[in-house]
Amino acid sequence: MALISKIRKNSWLLVVLIALGLIGFIVMDMTSGQQSVFGSSQTIVGDIEGKKLDWNQFYRTEQVLYGNSGGDLYSRRSQLWNYFVEEALVKEEAEALGLGVSKTELLDLQFGTNPSPVIQQRFRNPQTGQVDFQQLNQIKTAIEDGSIAEDPRLMSYWAHQENEIIKDRLQSKINMLVSKAIYTPTWMAEMGHAEQNAPVSLAYVKVPFDEMDNAEVTLSDADYEAYLKENAEQYKNDEETRILEYVVFEVKPTVEDSAALRNRLAELLPEFETTKDDTAFTERNYGVPPSTFLTEDALSAAIKDTVMNMPEGSVYGPYIDQGKYRAVKLVERRMIADSADTRHILIQAQAPEQFVSAEKTIDSLQNLLENNRASFDSLAIRFSQDPGSASDGGKYEGVTPGQFVPEFNEVLFITGDIGKLYKVRTSYGWHLVEVLSRSASTTPRVKVAYLEESIVPLEETQENIEADVLAFIGENRDLETLRENAAARGLDMKTSTGLTRNAFSIGELGGGQASRDIVRWAFNADVGEVSPELYGYQDPVDYYTNKYVVVGLRARQAAGLPAVANIKSQIEQQVINKKKAEMLAGKISGTDLQSIAQQFGTQVDTARNVAFNATFVPSLGFEPKVIGKAYTMEQGSVSAPIEGKTGVFVVQVLSKPAAGQASNIPELRRTMSSPVQQQVPARLIQAMKKNADIEDNRSRFY
């Protein structure tokens, strides 16, 4: 507490600690569960190689990073969990290797000319595509003069970001060490040379699996178990899972709902037609205000012919377009140039005080130009913050209507006189604009406004469907009964894939709170049980409950290979194909390709100059086993039947030239090592996670 008190009383100490990168660690210690006055394991959301992650720390970090921002809550939390796991593993590995990030290095990664990827991603100006060093310098100044303490959220954000930067830098160093250690021995380089420079040509007969009807194949549980054992790595689960069965009740508008919504819109049309302020009227009635002038092709196909021939001020509708009742008003019609040349000077701004400062700069520049004390080109090159035009004196040629933001577009094509200067405020900042010329060719364009009503179920309809589904749940308290009554209603029962304890998305249902609630229920339910809860999903556009879900627990699956009963439907066709391969192979006799082709009513095909690592071969398709077998055979020899992806193959090697001596082993080593080295950043951290001792308690908290 003594140190914290000193920080509160001495802003200079706060500045020093932040500048040295220590404040992040202090914040972490203050929020760590290990330092909690309660000392309870009930607040531990995870344990990564002995490093405990406290829920308070996790939640506070989430608030610092995301606050009240939108997006999927559970996706964000999953990303944050992965960050904490990776940070713990990376720092542990870095410490064992003697790697670190110095204070000087950390400052350079935050404010230097080549900042950390974390900074590059978060402080990239969307208008220029470049790192916003102006904003970074403002933050650096705030750190140095202590004013950052006046913004606790920014201070906390920056403290966490420092840890992210350190983690990213350490991870990059570890990745580089591993990448540099990857070596291709001479024998492997020579083998790679041979595979690339000795492509084989082959003739083959393919007997497709659909040559045999599925009804001819009888499968036993032993067949499924053998297939699972053979493909264990593909189907093995690292965590226990739950498999659900569920039925979806769609919430759709009735004919009466549709008629009521149409009438609601129609009642607004007389005032819509007579109003003098189309923008205010449409905004007040949740419509679309007029913006830019549009060509006929830019209008919806449902109205473009009508609108282009309507009188100004008239209204057409209601009509249906993209799931909505709409009414359109023709506000204005003009003949507008097809292109224009312009030049401008941009002073960027985002915050209100920046707009004030930017306008003053534009006023000064305009004064210089109007008094002939400078040229436009020289001022644009020196002051404009538009990287797309500054070096060319601010000039843009051949600009088309709608290419620029509406305020700029209005001056350039509608209101501006050629040769005059105009101050224009846009979302980018303040501009000083001059219209240089407009094309002689013109096109008729219209400015329109819309009123609209989404065709959605009204509240009464939603309530009726909800009541019906609640009654349905009450009548179906076990999975077998649920299946029977769903079938009686003509409803399809759907089956989920295996869901882990922390899953938050369920197949076509997607993610969100309802899916997360279903998963939490499933891990506390018995097999065959139906949830007593009604789960509702919200329409992402119109924000009403567009579906209700009734769910039952079909199976519980322990970690490891799934039980046959739990995965049978998922792998059935693959097992059938494997059985077909055995049966078809047993029918193939001899080595004459023509005879085999005649036996099955197919033909002999060829594939020429096939490289060993070819992923797709014309006519052959994706058949790695076939290619692999061909490379082990001598020229002229014929293979035994080969089980492929799409059928059974018999192959004869037509030619297999020698590759010749490899002449540049060092270059071959680099060529073969490079693809593996490029995979290190993604695969190394996953390997570290897989081999780490991680206790995941997230499901206790959300």
Side-chain angles (χ1 to χ4, degrees):
M1 286 299 294
L3 179 59
I4 301 303
S5 299
K6 287 181 181 179
I7 292 174
R8 289 172 177 165
K9 293 177 181 178
N10 299 286
S11 61
W12 64 267
L13 180 56
L14 174 66
V15 174
V16 172
L17 288 171
I18 293 174
L20 291 177
L22 295 176
I23 191 69
F25 300 108
I26 292 170
V27 172
M28 296 289 275
D29 285 341
M30 291 170 63
T31 58
S32 169
Q34 298 178 68
Q35 302 298 322
S36 169
V37 295
F38 302 104
S40 173
S41 63
Q42 296 303 309
T43 64
I44 303 303
V45 71
D47 187 317
I48 305 107
E49 289 287 315
K51 180 180 179 180
K52 298 192 183 326
L53 174 60
D54 185 78
W55 168 248
N56 296 316
Q57 175 188 350
F58 185 93
Y59 180 74
R60 287 171 185 168
T61 304
E62 178 190 7
Q63 292 305 301
V64 165
L65 291 178
Y66 306 111
N68 296 319
S69 61
D72 187 350
L73 170 69
Y74 296 102
S75 293
R76 296 202 309 258
R77 287 180 170 175
S78 180
Q79 292 170 9
L80 186 56
W81 165 259
N82 286 331
Y83 162 75
F84 278 118
V85 169
E86 291 181 9
E87 183 200 35
L89 298 179
V90 165
K91 287 187 174 179
E92 180 183 53
E93 190 67 31
E95 184 177 352
L97 293 170
L99 300 175
V101 177
S102 69
K103 303 301 181 290
T104 302
E105 185 179 8
L106 178 58
L107 286 172
D108 191 55
L109 288 167
Q110 294 175 93
F111 305 111
T113 56
N114 186 25
S116 162
V118 176
I119 295 291
Q120 292 184 39
Q121 179 183 11
R122 290 185 180 155
F123 292 86
R124 187 176 302 279
N125 188 322
Q127 298 162 3
T128 65
Q130 305 298 315
V131 174
D132 192 339
F133 286 103
Q134 181 180 356
Q135 186 180 9
L136 287 173
N137 288 332
Q138 290 173 351
I139 294 172
K140 184 180 180 183
T141 300
I143 291 174
E144 291 172 346
D145 64 19
S147 60
I148 193 172
E150 299 171 5
D151 188 344
R153 180 174 176 81
L154 175 59
M155 190 171 70
S156 298
Y157 182 91
W158 204 264
H160 174 77
Q161 184 175 261
E162 284 186 347
N163 282 324
E164 291 181 301
I165 292 170
I166 291 170
K167 178 257 183 186
D168 178 80
R169 187 64 164 176
L170 291 175
Q171 191 170 347
S172 296
K173 292 179 178 182
I174 294 170
N175 290 339
M176 186 61 68
L177 283 173
V178 175
S179 295
K180 292 294 185 182
I182 291 173
Y183 175 76
T184 301
T186 300
W187 67 266
M188 187 178 290
E190 291 174 340
M191 184 175 70
H193 171 77
E195 291 170 352
Q196 289 298 313
N197 293 279
V200 299
S201 294
L202 51 94
Y204 64 91
V205 174
K206 172 185 175 181
V207 184
F209 288 137
D210 55 16
E211 175 73 18
M212 181 179 293
D213 192 271
N214 284 355
E216 299 179 49
V217 180
T218 302
L219 299 178
S220 65
D221 282 352
D223 294 318
Y224 286 96
E225 289 166 358
Y227 178 83
L228 281 176
K229 186 175 181 180
E230 184 178 331
N231 297 275
E233 287 303 313
Q234 182 179 350
Y235 295 102
K236 185 168 62 176
N237 295 314
D238 294 330
E239 303 177 54
E240 66 172 308
T241 58
R242 299 291 184 269
I243 299 174
L244 308 171
E245 283 189 62
Y246 58 92
V247 60
V248 177
F249 289 79
E250 301 286 350
V251 183
K252 297 181 178 180
T254 64
V255 173
E256 292 76 15
D257 292 339
S258 180
L261 291 166
R262 188 186 188 284
N263 291 337
R264 183 189 296 176
L265 181 62
E267 290 171 359
L268 295 171
L269 298 192
E271 188 178 356
F272 186 31
E273 189 164 22
T274 58
T275 184
K276 300 301 183 184
D277 191 342
D278 297 297
T279 297
F281 185 81
T282 50
E283 288 178 346
R284 188 168 63 250
N285 290 285
Y286 307 103
V288 181
S291 56
T292 60
F293 283 87
L294 305 172
T295 63
E296 181 177 355
D297 290 341
L299 297 168
S300 167
I303 59 166
K304 63 181 183 179
D305 291 337
T306 301
V307 169
M308 295 307 292
N309 294 289
M310 285 167 54
E312 286 187 3
S314 60
V315 171
Y316 170 73
Y319 61 94
I320 295 178
D321 188 14
Q322 298 180 351
K324 297 179 179 181
Y325 281 117
R326 306 187 84 182
V328 60
K329 180 177 182 179
L330 177 57
V331 177
E332 188 178 355
R333 178 185 289 107
R334 277 181 179 265
M335 297 296 294
I336 295 178
D338 292 328
S339 66
D341 296 341
T342 184
R343 57 184 177 180
H344 82 131
I345 297 171
L346 166 65
I347 305 300
Q348 294 179 2
Q350 293 177 324
E353 62 273 12
Q354 292 175 336
F355 275 98
V356 173
S357 175
E359 185 177 14
K360 290 179 180 178
T361 302
I362 289 293
D363 286 338
S364 298
L365 297 177
Q366 184 173 2
N367 183 60
L368 289 173
L369 291 172
E370 290 177 343
N371 288 284
N372 298 316
R373 295 171 59 189
S375 69
F376 200 109
D377 288 359
S378 63
L379 293 181
I381 292 171
R382 183 176 177 186
F383 292 101
S384 182
Q385 295 173 339
D386 175 12
S389 67
S391 61
D392 194 26
K395 185 179 293 185
Y396 281 106
E397 297 177 323
V399 179
T400 55
Q403 182 177 334
F404 288 168
V405 287
E407 301 89 346
F408 199 140
N409 188 79
E410 186 80 6
V411 171
L412 184 54
F413 287 97
I414 309 298
T415 62
D417 292 329
I418 293 173
K420 289 188 177 182
L421 295 175
Y422 295 90
K423 282 171 50 182
V424 180
R425 175 174 170 159
T426 74
S427 58
Y428 291 93
W430 275 98
H431 308 249
L432 188 59
V433 177
E434 181 182 358
V435 183
L436 298 176
S437 66
R438 296 190 182 104
S439 67
S441 61
T442 60
T443 299
R445 294 172 184 264
V446 293
K447 184 180 286 187
V448 293
Y450 296 95
L451 292 179
E452 54 189 28
E453 281 279 0
S454 295
I455 304 176
V456 300
L458 296 179
E459 187 173 346
E460 182 180 358
T461 299
Q462 296 180 47
E463 291 173 352
N464 290 340
I465 295 174
E466 181 181 8
D468 178 50
V469 179
L470 283 170
F472 184 77
I473 291 175
E475 297 165 358
N476 297 277
R477 301 306 311 129
D478 63 80
L479 193 53
E480 187 57 41
T481 306
L482 177 63
R483 292 185 188 121
E484 292 174 0
N485 288 333
R489 282 198 177 202
L491 299 169
D492 292 330
M493 290 290 294
K494 303 180 185 297
T495 303
S496 75
T497 57
L499 301 168
T500 60
R501 186 179 297 273
N502 292 302
F504 53 86
S505 183
I506 304 174
E508 64 182 21
L509 297 177
Q513 186 64 52
S515 290
R516 182 66 194 133
D517 289 343
I518 290 173
V519 172
R520 286 173 66 88
W521 167 81
F523 273 83
N524 292 283
D526 295 325
V527 173
E529 184 180 343
V530 171
S531 173
E533 299 296 326
L534 176 61
Y535 301 101
Y537 287 80
Q538 195 175 64
D539 185 276
V541 176
D542 293 307
Y543 305 109
Y544 71 95
T545 301
N546 63 1
K547 63 172 70 75
Y548 289 108
V549 176
V550 181
V551 62
L553 182 59
R554 173 173 176 167
R556 307 171 72 158
Q557 177 62 56
L561 279 178
V564 167
N566 294 343
I567 200 173
K568 182 176 285 188
S569 61
Q570 184 180 338
I571 65 172
E572 183 176 27
Q573 190 57 55
Q574 292 93 314
V575 180
I576 288 174
N577 287 347
K578 185 172 181 60
K579 196 75 170 180
K580 284 182 178 181
E582 296 171 1
M583 298 169 69
L584 290 170
K587 296 180 179 181
I588 296 173
S589 58
T591 59
D592 182 71
L593 298 188
Q594 288 292 350
S595 298
I596 296 171
Q598 288 177 0
Q599 178 185 353
F600 290 96
T602 184
Q603 62 185 15
V604 178
D605 288 310
T606 58
R608 299 192 178 275
N609 299 318
V610 179
F612 179 77
N613 62 350
T615 56
F616 182 85
V617 178
S619 77
L620 182 64
F622 176 64
E623 293 292 350
K625 283 187 179 180
V626 176
I627 296 173
K629 180 63 178 176
Y631 265 82
T632 67
M633 297 165 57
E634 297 297 327
Q635 183 170 316
S637 61
V638 178
S639 72
I642 304 166
E643 178 189 343
K645 295 282 186 181
T646 57
V648 174
F649 295 79
V650 179
V651 173
Q652 181 177 26
V653 177
L654 301 177
S655 66
K656 189 178 183 182
Q661 187 68 31
S663 59
N664 192 341
I665 296 298
E667 180 61 29
L668 286 170
R669 285 198 182 105
R670 284 192 292 271
T671 300
M672 294 188 69
S673 297
S674 179
V676 182
Q677 291 170 334
Q678 291 172 9
Q679 295 178 48
V680 168
R683 300 185 66 173
L684 178 60
I685 192 65
Q686 295 306 318
M688 292 168 68
K689 288 180 183 179
K690 189 172 183 179
N691 289 282
D693 184 8
I694 300 173
E695 181 183 326
D696 185 349
N697 300 323
R698 283 178 290 164
S699 61
R700 295 181 189 171
F701 298 88
Y702 59 87

